[in-house]
Amino acid sequence: MASLKKRLPANAPGDFYVDATCIDCDTCRWMAPETFAEKDGKSYVHTQPGDPERRLRALKALTACPTASIGTEARHDMAPVFEALPDSIEGNVFHCGFHAEDSFGAAPYLIVRPQGNILIDSPRFASPLVKRLEALGGVKTLFLTHGDDVADHRKFKEHFGCERILHAGDVRASTEDVEFKLEGEEAVRWDKEILFLPTPGHTKGSACLLYRDRFLFTGDHLAWDDDANRLEAFRNACWYDWKVQRESMKRLADYSFGWVLPGHGRRVHLPADRMATELQRLVEWMA
C-alpha cells in the first residue's frame, strides 16, 4: 500500500497522492491524465479529481498501479472500481488493469469472444480481477507478446487451464512449459480472427497479435507517442537488435489495422490509411 510518510511533495493537496516508490511506468498518467502527471522521473497528482467520473478513473489507475504507489487519505468503496475492470476499449476488447510489477507495469488486455477469451500478456493474479474474468467467461488462451511481460502466467494457467503461447525465441526457464511455441518469422493463423505476427527486435521472440484486421496488440514493439503525435519504437529499450526490429516493423505494412495496443507506451486509434502512413514514417525514422 502507498505510504503517506513517503508522499511526494509535488502532489497537489488533497485526497489522492503518489509516494516515492513510483517506478515511472506511466500507467496512471495515461489512465487518468486529468489527475496524474510526471516530474523528475515520478508520477504525481497535479489536480485532485473533482467529480465522480474523474474520481473513478483515478481509482482505476490506483488499482492498476503495479507498485501500489498511489494512495488516498480517505477510504473509498472499491467495489464499483473492481466492477469497472476490465475496462472496455471498443466492443469486446478490454484493458484489464491490475498491472504487474514483474512486467514493469505493462498493460494486459482481454478479448472476449464466444469461442474462448484471449488474455494478452499477464496481469497480476489479483482476486478481484480473477472474479471478473470468471464472470466474463474465463480465459482459454494466454498470449505472451515477449518474455518480459509474462508475470503471473503460471497462476492463470493453473486457475483457468488456459493454453499459453510464446515465441520460442523468448522461452526461458520460467516459461519452458508453455503449451504452444511460435517459431521463425512467418505469420501464424490461429483461427479466422486471430493472426500471430513474429516481430523480433525488442527481444528475439517478440510477437504481435492481430485481431479481426483491426486491433494490433504490440507488446513493446510499437506504441504511440502523444507528445510527438506519431508512432514510436523504443531505441533505448531494444534488448535484441534494432535493425531486426526495423525489418519486423516493415513487415507490419502488409497488414491493415486501426488500433495499436501496446504493453508500454500509449495506445492509439487511427483510420487504417493514416496508420499505414504513420507506420511508414516510423520505418524511415528507424533507418
Side-chain angles (χ1 to χ4, degrees), residues 7 14 39 56 76 88 105 118 125 127 154 168 173 192 204-205 220 224 231:
R7 179 174 179 145
K39 181 179 181 180
L56 177 60
H76 293 269
S88 178
I118 301 176
F125 191 80
S127 177
R154 189 165 281 122
K192 65 180 182 180
K204 185 177 181 180
D220 290 349
W224 182 255
L231 290 174

Side-chain angles (χ1 to χ4, degrees), residues 222-236:
L222 174 66
W224 182 255
D225 184 334
D226 274 346
D227 293 331
N229 197 36
R230 66 187 183 191
L231 290 174
E232 67 173 338
F234 306 110
R235 180 66 182 89
N236 62 349

Side-chain angles (χ1 to χ4, degrees), residues 263-285:
H264 289 106
R266 306 296 178 93
R267 67 193 186 212
V268 68
H269 180 212
L270 300 172
D273 57 348
R274 166 85 188 281
M275 187 71 79
T277 298
E278 294 298 331
L279 185 61
Q280 181 59 39
R281 185 177 300 160
L282 174 61
V283 169
E284 293 170 0
W285 173 84

